[in-house]
Structure formats: structure tokens, C-alpha cells
Amino acid sequence: PIYTKYFTLSWLKQWVLAINDLGVNIIFFGESLIGFYMINQNLISLSVFMTIIQASNMVINPIGWYMEMYNNVQSSSVVVDGYLKEVQKRKHQKKLLNEPIQSFLLKDLVFKRKEKTIFDHFTLQLQKGKKYLVVGESGCGKSTLLGLLSGTIPHPHIYANNIPTNALEHSSIAKQLTYLRQSPDLLPGTLEENITLWQTADSNKLNRVLDQVHLNSLKSRLHESVQEDSLEISGGELQRISLARGLYNIKDWLFLDEAFSALDEENAKQIEYDILKNYKGSIISISHKLFDENIMLFDEVIEFTKQGVNVLSSLEYLQKRKNSLHPIKNQISNNESVLPDKR
């Protein structure tokens, strides 16, 4: 492993520094032995000897410090060079994915986080062009799923076009997907540059995207810099700027991690509906704000439960959701003997 080689090389550094210290100590003890011999033979006095030692230290110590610094730099360069060569070697071993990603596959996936099992021999294939809703309680592993698929969490059992993602250059996966997180950040520059990512702005496209995410109020403020202390952006506006950025720079795969969480119910419902209806690429969306009309636009629902991960059709999930929201009503309607016959 790379770290084993790194620590092996670090022993060379310690060995060189030890030799340097040994050399300084030999000179010091050599001076002392000669000095004590000369004092014993009454050739010099103790005060003269101490003066010689002090004068010698004024010469020897700077030389020792210089040699220590020089050896430190030289030996460290061996460690750093070895580490960088190993990194480059491993980097070149990874492949570039030059074709479009047609599918992601989680194959017999076992994944634990802090001793908690998230996936237990789980298999799932996600196809290009389909839309997937991911639901479940907070902390159950939904964001981990997107991290695994995007390659930010490397794992040997995740495949893109049947190639393990940990064998691919991360950039070749990242350039094919847009990943919008729950808590986005504003980037240095103007509001327009935050959306276009410093591309030459296409005014028609920019206006269309701002309309799509209900940001008409910002059209007159696009020149404002995010460094300005007077810039006032609400949490909902910040999240819609992130959505606008993703839609303006749209790619084949769209990952949404609670991308509507800061929006009010009406805006969340309308913007999500518009994206699901008009976006032709693949969507994997984590959401706690669920609307029946929008759920119907998803092809499948990936549901995280305490018992494991289930994959349902949107109709199956809607029926299950309906039953869980109205358990008493459904129990009565499904069991005629609950109420006594009063005939």
C-alpha cells in the first residue's frame, strides 16, 4: 500500500538525521577528551579550555544546524517524491469513462457506517432516463446512496456501465452528473456567475431557468456580488439559486439531496413538478416533502426502512403511503366485522 511505502521511506529520513546528531556528538566528546587530557598534562588551564569550548561551539553549532536542516530537506524530498510517484502511478492505473453512463449498478452491496448496516447484500440497477425517488427517516443512509453512486464514497461493488466506479477516474463520472445538496454555498463572484459558473451568459436560457425556479425577483440583481455585506439572500432563495445553477449547467444525471427542503410547500411542489415533467435525463431525488401528484411522475421509489431497503413502483408506494396515513379508516373498510350488524 502507498502508506506503507511512505512510512518505509520516512525511516530513511530518521536514519540520516540520527547520523547527523551522531557526528555533532562525536565532535563534542572528542573536544572534551582532548581538553581534559591537556588540562591533566598542565598544558592549559580549565578557564582556557572553557573558552576554547565556547569558541568552538560558536563555529560547530551553526554547522551542525545547517547540516541538520540540509539533511532534513534532502531526506524529506525522498519521502515526498516517493509518495507523489506512487500517487501518480495509482492515478494512471484508473480508467477514463469516455461513453455516456447508461446505468449504475449496486451489486450485492454490503455497506456499514459506524457499525450500522446501511446495505446488506443489496442489489439495484438505475437506468438512464428514469426518475427515482428516495425516501426514509433522517440518518438512514439516503445521502450515502448518492455518495456511493457519485463516487465520492469509493466502493468496489458500485458499477457505471458495468465498470467498477473505484477503477474509474472520478472526474469522468462527475462530469456526467449534477449533484445538488441540501445546504448549497454561494461562490465568489456575482449572482449571475453563481448560476452560469462563469460561462458567457445565454440571456434567454438564464431567464428561462430563473422562471423555472421562481427567481424572477433576482433578475434585476444578477450583477450584485456575493462579497457585498448588503447582499440579502434568504435560505429559500439560496436553494433556488443552487437549483438554477444545476438546471443551467444540466447534465445527463441529476442528483437532488433534499434540494427543496428550504422552500415553502407551494414552491417546492411546483418547482419539483416542473423539473420532473420537463427534464429528459435521469433523476435520483431524496425528499421529505412528498406530494402525490409529483410521486406519480417517478418511475420507482427507493424506500429506506428499519427492516432494509425496498424498491417499489410509484403506485405501490402511493398505496402504502395511503394505508400508513389512514390506518384506522383502511382497517374499517377492509374488515366489515369491525362494526356490529345493527339489523
Side-chain angles (χ1 to χ4, degrees):
I2 186 169
Y3 300 112
T4 302
K5 289 188 176 183
Y6 170 77
F7 286 118
T8 301
L9 287 169
S10 69
W11 280 104
L12 173 62
K13 173 183 173 181
Q14 298 300 325
W15 182 72
V16 171
L17 293 177
I19 290 177
N20 184 79
D21 291 339
L22 179 62
V24 172
N25 289 329
I26 288 174
I27 293 173
F28 174 77
F29 286 112
E31 286 181 330
S32 299
L33 287 174
I34 293 172
F36 288 135
Y37 173 79
M38 295 179 72
I39 292 172
N40 187 53
Q41 297 297 319
N42 294 319
L43 297 175
I44 59 174
S45 65
L46 179 61
S47 60
V48 171
F49 171 68
M50 295 303 298
T51 303
I52 293 173
I53 289 291
Q54 290 178 358
S56 176
N57 287 342
M58 292 176 66
V59 176
I60 293 174
N61 284 347
I63 294 175
W65 295 333
Y66 171 78
M67 290 303 298
E68 182 177 359
M69 180 180 67
Y70 177 81
N71 290 334
N72 201 1
V73 170
Q74 292 298 315
S75 56
S76 295
S77 68
V78 174
V79 177
V80 173
D81 288 345
Y83 181 81
L84 292 177
K85 285 178 182 178
E86 187 67 23
V87 169
Q88 287 298 114
K89 179 181 175 182
R90 291 185 172 232
K91 184 176 181 181
H92 291 311
Q93 288 175 347
K94 293 197 172 186
K95 302 176 183 177
L96 286 172
L97 186 63
N98 295 316
E99 68 271 12
I101 297 175
Q102 300 297 330
S103 68
F104 284 101
L105 173 65
L106 292 77
K107 187 176 181 180
D108 197 30
L109 175 65
V110 176
F111 187 84
K112 293 184 178 181
R113 186 181 61 194
K114 295 181 180 179
E115 304 304 318
K116 178 182 178 182
T117 299
I118 306 297
F119 297 101
D120 186 11
H121 297 283
F122 180 67
T123 297
L124 173 68
Q125 189 164 37
L126 304 169
Q127 298 284 354
K128 183 179 180 181
K130 289 191 174 183
K131 298 174 175 61
Y132 302 88
L133 174 63
V134 184
V135 298
E137 296 180 358
S138 296
C140 62
K142 301 186 298 298
S143 295
T144 301
L145 173 64
L146 295 190
L148 289 164
L149 292 172
S150 65
T152 54
I153 303 176
H155 197 285
H157 288 186
I158 310 295
Y159 301 81
N161 292 357
N162 295 318
I163 303 172
T165 55
N166 66 342
L168 295 170
E169 283 286 353
H170 182 258
S171 59
S172 64
I173 299 175
K175 70 181 181 182
Q176 298 196 45
L177 61 89
T178 299
Y179 196 156
L180 303 183
R181 293 174 171 80
Q182 180 178 0
S183 303
D185 294 317
L186 286 175
L187 306 172
T190 64
L191 290 175
E192 179 180 294
E193 289 168 338
N194 265 268
I195 296 171
T196 65
L197 294 179
W198 297 276
Q199 300 177 51
T200 302
D202 180 332
S203 58
N204 291 330
K205 181 181 178 181
L206 183 57
N207 282 323
R208 184 172 65 252
V209 166
L210 290 173
D211 289 339
Q212 191 174 359
V213 297
H214 302 176
L215 273 179
N216 295 312
S217 60
L218 286 189
K219 286 184 178 180
S220 61
R221 302 176 56 193
L222 293 175
H223 65 283
E224 293 184 25
S225 172
V226 300
Q227 288 92 349
E228 295 176 5
D229 294 335
S230 59
L231 183 67
E232 295 182 2
I233 296 292
S234 67
E237 286 177 324
L238 177 58
Q239 203 161 57
R240 279 180 282 168
I241 289 172
S242 175
L243 284 166
R245 182 190 299 157
L247 295 173
Y248 187 91
N249 303 278
I250 201 66
K251 299 174 185 176
D252 289 341
W253 291 79
L254 179 60
F255 289 5
L256 303 173
D257 189 352
E258 293 289 350
F260 310 103
S261 60
L263 306 184
D264 60 77
E265 295 283 319
E266 183 178 354
N267 273 315
K269 181 179 180 179
Q270 291 181 2
I271 294 173
E272 182 186 43
Y273 181 88
D274 187 63
I275 292 173
L276 291 168
K277 196 74 174 175
N278 297 304
Y279 177 58
K280 303 304 180 185
S282 314
I283 294 178
I284 306 175
S285 176
I286 298 173
S287 182
H288 284 118
K289 291 187 175 181
L290 303 176
F291 310 99
D292 289 354
E293 300 94 325
N294 294 359
I295 292 173
M296 286 298 298
L297 297 176
F298 287 96
D299 295 288
E300 291 182 347
V301 179
I302 304 169
E303 181 187 32
F304 284 73
T305 69
K306 293 180 179 178
Q307 289 72 39
V309 184
N310 303 318
V311 181
L312 310 169
S313 71
S314 56
L315 282 173
E316 289 173 332
Y317 178 71
L318 276 174
Q319 185 60 48
K320 183 176 180 179
R321 175 176 160 81
K322 178 183 176 182
N323 292 340
S324 64
L325 291 175
H326 306 288
I328 298 177
K329 180 180 178 181
N330 290 322
Q331 182 183 1
I332 293 173
S333 63
N334 293 329
N335 187 355
E336 294 180 356
S337 63
V338 170
L339 295 178
D341 189 348
K342 295 185 179 181
R343 288 180 297 174

